Coordinates of all heavy atoms in Angstrom, one line a residue:
M925 N -10.0 3.5 13.4 CA -8.7 4.0 13.1 C -8.8 5.4 12.4 O -9.7 5.6 11.6 CB -8.0 3.1 12.1 CG -6.6 3.5 11.9 SD -5.5 2.5 10.8 CE -6.2 0.9 10.9
A926 N -8.0 6.3 12.9 CA -8.1 7.7 12.4 C -7.5 8.0 11.1 O -7.9 8.8 10.3 CB -7.6 8.7 13.4
I927 N -6.4 7.2 10.8 CA -5.7 7.4 9.5 C -6.1 6.2 8.6 O -5.9 5.0 9.0 CB -4.2 7.5 9.7 CG1 -3.9 8.7 10.5 CG2 -3.5 7.5 8.3 CD1 -2.4 8.9 10.8
V928 N -6.7 6.5 7.4 CA -7.1 5.4 6.5 C -6.6 5.7 5.1 O -6.2 6.8 4.8 CB -8.7 5.4 6.5 CG1 -9.2 5.0 7.9 CG2 -9.3 6.7 6.0
F929 N -6.6 4.6 4.4 CA -6.1 4.7 3.0 C -7.2 5.4 2.2 O -8.4 5.1 2.3 CB -5.9 3.3 2.4 CG -4.7 2.6 2.8 CD1 -4.7 1.7 3.8 CD2 -3.4 3.0 2.2 CE1 -3.5 1.0 4.2 CE2 -2.3 2.4 2.6 CZ -2.3 1.4 3.6
K930 N -6.8 6.3 1.3 CA -7.7 7.0 0.4 C -8.0 6.2 -0.9 O -9.0 6.3 -1.5 CB -7.2 8.3 -0.1 CG -7.1 9.4 0.9 CD -6.9 10.8 0.3 CE -5.5 11.1 -0.1 NZ -5.4 12.5 -0.5
V931 N -7.0 5.3 -1.2 CA -7.1 4.5 -2.4 C -6.9 3.0 -2.0 O -6.3 2.7 -1.0 CB -6.0 4.9 -3.4 CG1 -6.2 6.3 -3.9 CG2 -4.6 4.7 -2.9
D932 N -7.4 2.2 -2.9 CA -7.1 0.7 -2.7 C -5.7 0.5 -3.3 O -5.5 0.5 -4.5 CB -8.1 -0.1 -3.5 CG -7.9 -1.6 -3.3 OD1 -6.8 -2.0 -3.0 OD2 -8.9 -2.3 -3.6
V933 N -4.7 0.4 -2.4 CA -3.3 0.3 -2.9 C -3.1 -0.9 -3.8 O -2.4 -0.7 -4.8 CB -2.4 0.3 -1.7 CG1 -0.9 0.1 -2.1 CG2 -2.5 1.6 -0.8
L934 N -3.6 -2.0 -3.5 CA -3.4 -3.2 -4.3 C -4.0 -3.0 -5.7 O -3.3 -3.4 -6.7 CB -3.9 -4.4 -3.7 CG -3.2 -4.9 -2.4 CD1 -3.9 -6.1 -1.8 CD2 -1.7 -5.2 -2.7
T935 N -5.1 -2.4 -5.8 CA -5.7 -2.1 -7.1 C -4.8 -1.1 -7.9 O -4.6 -1.2 -9.1 CB -7.1 -1.5 -7.0 OG1 -7.9 -2.5 -6.3 CG2 -7.7 -1.2 -8.3
A936 N -4.4 -0.1 -7.2 CA -3.5 0.9 -7.9 C -2.2 0.3 -8.3 O -1.7 0.6 -9.4 CB -3.2 2.1 -6.9
L937 N -1.6 -0.6 -7.5 CA -0.4 -1.3 -7.9 C -0.7 -2.2 -9.1 O 0.1 -2.2 -10.1 CB 0.2 -2.1 -6.8 CG 0.8 -1.3 -5.6 CD1 1.1 -2.2 -4.4 CD2 2.1 -0.7 -6.1
K938 N -1.8 -2.9 -9.1 CA -2.2 -3.7 -10.3 C -2.3 -2.9 -11.5 O -1.8 -3.3 -12.6 CB -3.5 -4.5 -10.0 CG -3.8 -5.5 -11.0 CD -5.0 -6.3 -10.6 CE -5.3 -7.4 -11.6 NZ -6.4 -8.3 -11.2
E939 N -2.9 -1.7 -11.4 CA -3.1 -0.9 -12.6 C -1.7 -0.4 -13.1 O -1.6 -0.1 -14.3 CB -4.0 0.3 -12.3 CG -5.5 -0.1 -12.1 CD -6.3 1.0 -11.6 OE1 -5.8 2.1 -11.2 OE2 -7.6 0.7 -11.4
A940 N -0.8 -0.3 -12.2 CA 0.6 0.1 -12.6 C 1.4 -1.0 -13.1 O 2.6 -0.8 -13.4 CB 1.2 0.8 -11.4
G941 N 0.9 -2.2 -13.1 CA 1.6 -3.4 -13.6 C 2.2 -4.3 -12.6 O 3.0 -5.1 -12.9
Y942 N 1.8 -4.1 -11.3 CA 2.4 -4.9 -10.2 C 1.3 -5.7 -9.6 O 0.7 -5.3 -8.6 CB 3.0 -4.0 -9.2 CG 4.2 -3.2 -9.7 CD1 4.0 -1.9 -10.2 CD2 5.4 -3.8 -9.8 CE1 5.1 -1.2 -10.7 CE2 6.5 -3.1 -10.3 CZ 6.3 -1.8 -10.7 OH 7.4 -1.1 -11.2
N943 N 1.0 -6.9 -10.1 CA 0.0 -7.7 -9.4 C 0.7 -8.4 -8.2 O 1.9 -8.3 -8.1 CB -0.6 -8.7 -10.4 CG 0.3 -9.7 -11.0 OD1 1.4 -10.0 -10.4 ND2 0.1 -10.1 -12.2
T944 N -0.1 -9.1 -7.4 CA 0.5 -9.6 -6.2 C 1.5 -10.7 -6.4 O 2.5 -10.8 -5.7 CB -0.6 -10.2 -5.2 OG1 -1.4 -11.1 -5.9 CG2 -1.5 -9.0 -4.7
S945 N 1.4 -11.5 -7.5 CA 2.4 -12.5 -7.9 C 3.7 -11.8 -8.2 O 4.7 -12.3 -7.8 CB 1.9 -13.3 -9.0 OG 0.7 -14.1 -8.6
K946 N 3.6 -10.8 -9.0 CA 4.9 -10.1 -9.4 C 5.5 -9.5 -8.2 O 6.8 -9.5 -8.0 CB 4.6 -9.0 -10.5 CG 5.8 -8.3 -10.9 CD 5.5 -7.3 -12.0 CE 6.7 -6.5 -12.5 NZ 7.8 -7.2 -12.8
I947 N 4.7 -8.9 -7.3 CA 5.3 -8.3 -6.1 C 6.0 -9.3 -5.2 O 7.1 -9.0 -4.8 CB 4.2 -7.6 -5.3 CG1 3.6 -6.4 -6.1 CG2 4.6 -7.2 -3.9 CD1 2.4 -5.7 -5.5
R948 N 5.4 -10.5 -5.1 CA 6.0 -11.5 -4.3 C 7.3 -12.1 -5.0 O 8.3 -12.3 -4.4 CB 5.0 -12.6 -4.0 CG 4.1 -12.3 -2.8 CD 3.4 -13.5 -2.3 NE 2.7 -14.2 -3.4 CZ 1.5 -14.0 -3.9 NH1 0.8 -13.0 -3.3 NH2 0.9 -14.7 -4.8
N949 N 7.1 -12.5 -6.3 CA 8.2 -13.1 -7.0 C 9.4 -12.2 -7.2 O 10.5 -12.7 -7.2 CB 7.7 -13.5 -8.4 CG 6.7 -14.7 -8.3 OD1 6.6 -15.4 -7.3 ND2 5.9 -14.8 -9.4
D950 N 9.2 -10.9 -7.4 CA 10.3 -9.9 -7.5 C 10.8 -9.5 -6.1 O 11.6 -8.6 -6.1 CB 9.8 -8.7 -8.3 CG 9.6 -9.1 -9.8 OD1 9.9 -10.2 -10.2 OD2 9.1 -8.2 -10.5
K951 N 10.2 -10.0 -5.1 CA 10.6 -9.7 -3.7 C 10.5 -8.2 -3.4 O 11.4 -7.6 -2.7 CB 12.0 -10.2 -3.4 CG 12.0 -11.8 -3.5 CD 13.4 -12.3 -3.1 CE 13.6 -13.7 -3.2 NZ 12.7 -14.7 -3.3
I952 N 9.4 -7.6 -3.9 CA 9.2 -6.2 -3.7 C 8.7 -6.0 -2.2 O 9.1 -5.1 -1.5 CB 8.2 -5.6 -4.7 CG1 8.9 -5.6 -6.1 CG2 7.8 -4.2 -4.3 CD1 8.0 -5.3 -7.2
M953 N 7.8 -6.9 -1.8 CA 7.3 -6.9 -0.5 C 6.7 -8.3 -0.2 O 6.4 -9.0 -1.1 CB 6.3 -5.8 -0.1 CG 4.9 -5.9 -0.8 SD 3.9 -4.6 -0.3 CE 4.4 -3.3 -1.5
G954 N 6.7 -8.7 1.1 CA 6.3 -10.0 1.4 C 4.8 -10.2 1.6 O 4.0 -9.2 1.6
E955 N 4.4 -11.4 1.8 CA 3.0 -11.7 1.9 C 2.3 -11.1 3.1 O 1.2 -10.7 3.1 CB 2.8 -13.3 2.0 CG 1.3 -13.7 2.1 CD 0.5 -13.3 0.9 OE1 1.0 -13.3 -0.2 OE2 -0.7 -12.9 1.1
A956 N 3.1 -10.9 4.2 CA 2.5 -10.3 5.4 C 2.1 -8.9 5.2 O 1.1 -8.4 5.6 CB 3.5 -10.4 6.6
M957 N 3.0 -8.1 4.4 CA 2.6 -6.7 4.1 C 1.5 -6.7 3.1 O 0.6 -5.8 3.2 CB 3.8 -6.0 3.5 CG 4.9 -5.8 4.5 SD 4.4 -4.8 5.9 CE 4.7 -5.9 7.2
L958 N 1.4 -7.6 2.1 CA 0.3 -7.7 1.2 C -1.0 -7.9 2.0 O -2.1 -7.3 1.7 CB 0.5 -8.7 0.2 CG 1.6 -8.4 -0.9 CD1 1.9 -9.7 -1.7 CD2 1.3 -7.2 -1.7
Q959 N -1.0 -8.8 3.0 CA -2.1 -9.1 3.8 C -2.6 -7.8 4.6 O -3.8 -7.6 4.7 CB -1.9 -10.3 4.7 CG -3.1 -10.8 5.4 CD -4.1 -11.3 4.3 OE1 -3.8 -11.9 3.3 NE2 -5.4 -11.1 4.6
K960 N -1.6 -7.1 5.1 CA -2.0 -5.9 5.8 C -2.7 -4.9 4.9 O -3.6 -4.2 5.2 CB -0.7 -5.2 6.4 CG -0.3 -5.9 7.7 CD 0.8 -5.2 8.3 CE 1.1 -5.8 9.7 NZ 1.9 -4.9 10.6
L961 N -2.1 -4.8 3.6 CA -2.8 -3.9 2.7 C -4.2 -4.3 2.3 O -5.1 -3.5 2.2 CB -1.9 -3.8 1.4 CG -0.6 -3.1 1.5 CD1 0.3 -3.2 0.3 CD2 -0.8 -1.6 1.8
R962 N -4.4 -5.7 2.2 CA -5.7 -6.2 1.9 C -6.7 -5.8 3.0 O -7.9 -5.6 2.7 CB -5.7 -7.7 1.8 CG -5.1 -8.2 0.5 CD -5.2 -9.7 0.4 NE -4.4 -10.2 -0.7 CZ -3.2 -10.8 -0.6 NH1 -2.7 -11.0 0.6 NH2 -2.5 -11.1 -1.6
N963 N -6.2 -5.8 4.2 CA -7.1 -5.5 5.4 C -7.1 -4.0 5.8 O -7.8 -3.7 6.7 CB -6.6 -6.3 6.6 CG -6.7 -7.8 6.4 OD1 -7.6 -8.3 5.7 ND2 -5.9 -8.6 7.1
G964 N -6.5 -3.2 5.0 CA -6.5 -1.8 5.2 C -5.7 -1.4 6.5 O -5.9 -0.3 7.0
E965 N -4.8 -2.2 6.9 CA -3.9 -1.9 8.1 C -2.7 -1.1 7.7 O -2.3 -1.1 6.5 CB -3.5 -3.2 8.7 CG -4.7 -4.1 9.2 CD -4.2 -5.5 9.7 OE1 -3.0 -5.7 9.8 OE2 -5.1 -6.3 9.9
M966 N -2.1 -0.5 8.7 CA -0.9 0.3 8.4 C 0.3 -0.6 8.2 O 0.3 -1.7 8.7 CB -0.6 1.2 9.6 CG -1.6 2.4 9.8 SD -1.4 3.5 8.4 CE -3.1 3.5 7.8
V967 N 1.1 -0.2 7.3 CA 2.4 -0.9 7.0 C 3.6 -0.1 7.4 O 3.4 1.1 7.8 CB 2.4 -1.3 5.5 CG1 1.3 -2.2 5.1 CG2 2.3 0.0 4.7
S968 N 4.7 -0.6 7.3 CA 6.0 0.1 7.7 C 6.3 1.2 6.8 O 5.8 1.3 5.7 CB 7.1 -0.9 7.7 OG 7.5 -1.3 6.4
W969 N 7.2 2.1 7.3 CA 7.6 3.2 6.5 C 8.3 2.8 5.3 O 8.2 3.4 4.2 CB 8.5 4.1 7.3 CG 7.8 5.0 8.4 CD1 7.9 4.8 9.7 CD2 6.9 6.0 8.1 NE1 7.1 5.8 10.3 CE2 6.5 6.5 9.4 CE3 6.4 6.6 6.9 CZ2 5.6 7.6 9.5 CZ3 5.5 7.7 7.1 CH2 5.1 8.1 8.3
A970 N 9.1 1.7 5.4 CA 9.8 1.1 4.2 C 8.9 0.7 3.2 O 9.1 0.9 2.0 CB 10.7 0.0 4.7
V971 N 7.8 0.1 3.6 CA 6.8 -0.4 2.6 C 6.1 0.8 1.9 O 5.8 0.9 0.7 CB 5.8 -1.3 3.2 CG1 4.6 -1.6 2.3 CG2 6.4 -2.6 3.6
L972 N 5.8 1.8 2.7 CA 5.2 3.1 2.2 C 6.1 3.7 1.2 O 5.7 4.2 0.1 CB 4.8 4.0 3.3 CG 3.7 3.7 4.2 CD1 3.6 4.7 5.3 CD2 2.4 3.5 3.5
E973 N 7.4 3.7 1.5 CA 8.4 4.3 0.5 C 8.4 3.5 -0.8 O 8.4 4.1 -1.8 CB 9.8 4.3 1.2 CG 10.8 5.0 0.4 CD 12.1 5.0 1.1 OE1 12.2 4.7 2.2 OE2 13.1 5.4 0.4
T974 N 8.3 2.2 -0.6 CA 8.3 1.3 -1.8 C 7.0 1.6 -2.7 O 7.1 1.7 -3.9 CB 8.3 -0.2 -1.4 OG1 9.6 -0.4 -0.7 CG2 8.3 -1.1 -2.6
I975 N 5.9 1.6 -2.0 CA 4.6 1.9 -2.7 C 4.7 3.2 -3.4 O 4.3 3.3 -4.6 CB 3.4 1.8 -1.7 CG1 3.2 0.4 -1.2 CG2 2.2 2.3 -2.4 CD1 2.3 0.3 0.0
C976 N 5.1 4.3 -2.7 CA 5.2 5.6 -3.3 C 6.1 5.6 -4.5 O 5.9 6.2 -5.5 CB 5.6 6.6 -2.3 SG 4.4 7.0 -1.1
G977 N 7.2 4.8 -4.4 CA 8.1 4.7 -5.6 C 7.5 4.0 -6.8 O 7.7 4.5 -7.9
L978 N 6.8 2.9 -6.5 CA 6.2 2.2 -7.6 C 5.0 3.0 -8.2 O 4.8 2.9 -9.5 CB 5.6 0.9 -7.1 CG 6.6 -0.1 -6.5 CD1 5.9 -1.3 -5.9 CD2 7.5 -0.6 -7.7
L979 N 4.3 3.7 -7.4 CA 3.1 4.5 -7.9 C 3.5 5.9 -8.3 O 2.6 6.6 -8.8 CB 2.0 4.5 -6.9 CG 1.4 3.1 -6.6 CD1 0.3 3.3 -5.5 CD2 0.8 2.4 -7.8
D980 N 4.7 6.3 -8.1 CA 5.2 7.7 -8.3 C 4.2 8.7 -7.7 O 3.6 9.5 -8.4 CB 5.3 7.9 -9.8 CG 6.0 9.2 -10.1 OD1 6.9 9.7 -9.3 OD2 5.7 9.9 -11.2
C981 N 4.0 8.5 -6.4 CA 3.1 9.4 -5.6 C 3.7 9.8 -4.3 O 4.8 9.4 -3.9 CB 1.8 8.7 -5.4 SG 1.9 7.3 -4.3
Q982 N 3.0 10.7 -3.6 CA 3.4 11.1 -2.3 C 2.5 10.4 -1.2 O 1.4 10.0 -1.5 CB 3.1 12.6 -2.1 CG 4.0 13.5 -3.0 CD 5.5 13.4 -2.7 OE1 5.8 13.4 -1.5 NE2 6.3 13.1 -3.7
P983 N 3.0 10.2 0.0 CA 2.2 9.6 1.0 C 0.9 10.2 1.2 O -0.1 9.4 1.4 CB 3.1 9.7 2.3 CG 4.5 9.8 1.8 CD 4.4 10.6 0.5
G984 N 0.8 11.5 1.1 CA -0.5 12.1 1.2 C -1.5 11.7 0.1 O -2.7 11.9 0.3
D985 N -1.1 11.2 -1.0 CA -2.0 10.7 -2.0 C -2.6 9.3 -1.6 O -3.6 8.9 -2.2 CB -1.2 10.4 -3.3 CG -0.6 11.7 -3.9 OD1 -1.2 12.8 -3.6 OD2 0.4 11.6 -4.5
L986 N -2.0 8.7 -0.6 CA -2.5 7.4 -0.2 C -3.3 7.4 1.1 O -4.2 6.5 1.3 CB -1.3 6.4 0.1 CG -0.3 6.2 -1.0 CD1 0.9 5.4 -0.5 CD2 -1.0 5.5 -2.2
F987 N -3.1 8.4 2.0 CA -3.8 8.4 3.3 C -4.6 9.7 3.5 O -4.3 10.7 2.9 CB -2.8 8.4 4.4 CG -1.9 7.1 4.4 CD1 -0.6 7.2 3.9 CD2 -2.4 6.0 4.9 CE1 0.2 6.1 3.9 CE2 -1.6 4.8 4.9 CZ -0.3 4.9 4.4
E988 N -5.5 9.6 4.4 CA -6.2 10.7 4.9 C -6.6 10.5 6.4 O -6.7 9.4 6.8 CB -7.5 11.1 4.1 CG -8.6 10.0 4.1 CD -9.7 10.4 3.1 OE1 -9.6 11.4 2.4 OE2 -10.6 9.6 3.0
Y989 N -6.8 11.6 7.1 CA -7.2 11.5 8.5 C -8.7 11.7 8.6 O -9.3 12.6 8.1 CB -6.5 12.7 9.3 CG -6.9 12.7 10.7 CD1 -6.3 11.9 11.6 CD2 -7.7 13.7 11.1 CE1 -6.7 11.9 13.0 CE2 -8.1 13.8 12.5 CZ -7.6 12.9 13.4 OH -7.9 13.0 14.7
H990 N -9.3 10.8 9.4 CA -10.7 10.8 9.7 C -10.8 11.0 11.2 O -10.4 10.2 12.0 CB -11.4 9.5 9.3 CG -11.6 9.4 7.9 ND1 -12.5 8.4 7.4 CD2 -11.1 10.0 6.8 CE1 -12.5 8.5 6.0 NE2 -11.7 9.5 5.7
K991 N -11.4 12.1 11.6 CA -11.6 12.4 13.0 C -12.6 11.3 13.6 O -13.7 11.1 13.0 CB -12.1 13.8 13.2 CG -12.0 14.3 14.6 CD -12.3 15.7 14.7 CE -11.9 16.3 16.0 NZ -12.0 17.7 16.1
E992 N -12.3 10.7 14.7 CA -13.2 9.7 15.2 C -14.2 10.3 16.1 O -14.1 11.3 16.7 CB -12.3 8.7 16.0 CG -11.5 7.9 15.1 CD -10.7 6.8 15.8 OE1 -11.1 6.3 16.9 OE2 -9.7 6.3 15.2

């Protein structure tokens, strides 16, 4: 995959006070999206917007392009 995460999003969310239980219980995002994040897979634009809001960051802080 040419576009990859620069950071471990789940670790960054945990450091910001959002562990996976809180994310699920507060209905911030579902288990399917959490599983995609665990596997380093791409998620929807809505989820990226949510992550950027929670981490107070820009999408470019999360991703980078690797030429294959």
Side-chain angles (χ1 to χ4, degrees):
M925 184 180 334
I927 297 176
V928 296
F929 284 101
K930 290 198 281 189
V931 299
D932 181 341
V933 175
L934 292 177
T935 299
L937 287 168
K938 187 174 183 178
E939 290 171 356
Y942 297 97
N943 62 31
T944 55
S945 295
K946 180 175 178 55
I947 291 170
R948 280 192 309 272
N949 293 339
D950 292 352
K951 297 183 184 347
I952 296 170
M953 69 182 81
E955 183 59 38
M957 290 301 118
L958 290 172
Q959 191 61 38
K960 283 187 172 197
L961 290 170
R962 285 185 192 101
N963 294 333
E965 299 172 10
M966 287 295 120
V967 293
S968 71
W969 286 112
V971 171
L972 290 177
E973 185 176 351
T974 299
I975 292 168
C976 288
L978 295 173
L979 297 178
D980 191 29
C981 68
Q982 295 294 314
D985 298 331
L986 302 174
F987 299 102
E988 63 187 0
Y989 175 78
H990 286 192
K991 196 169 191 172
E992 293 184 22

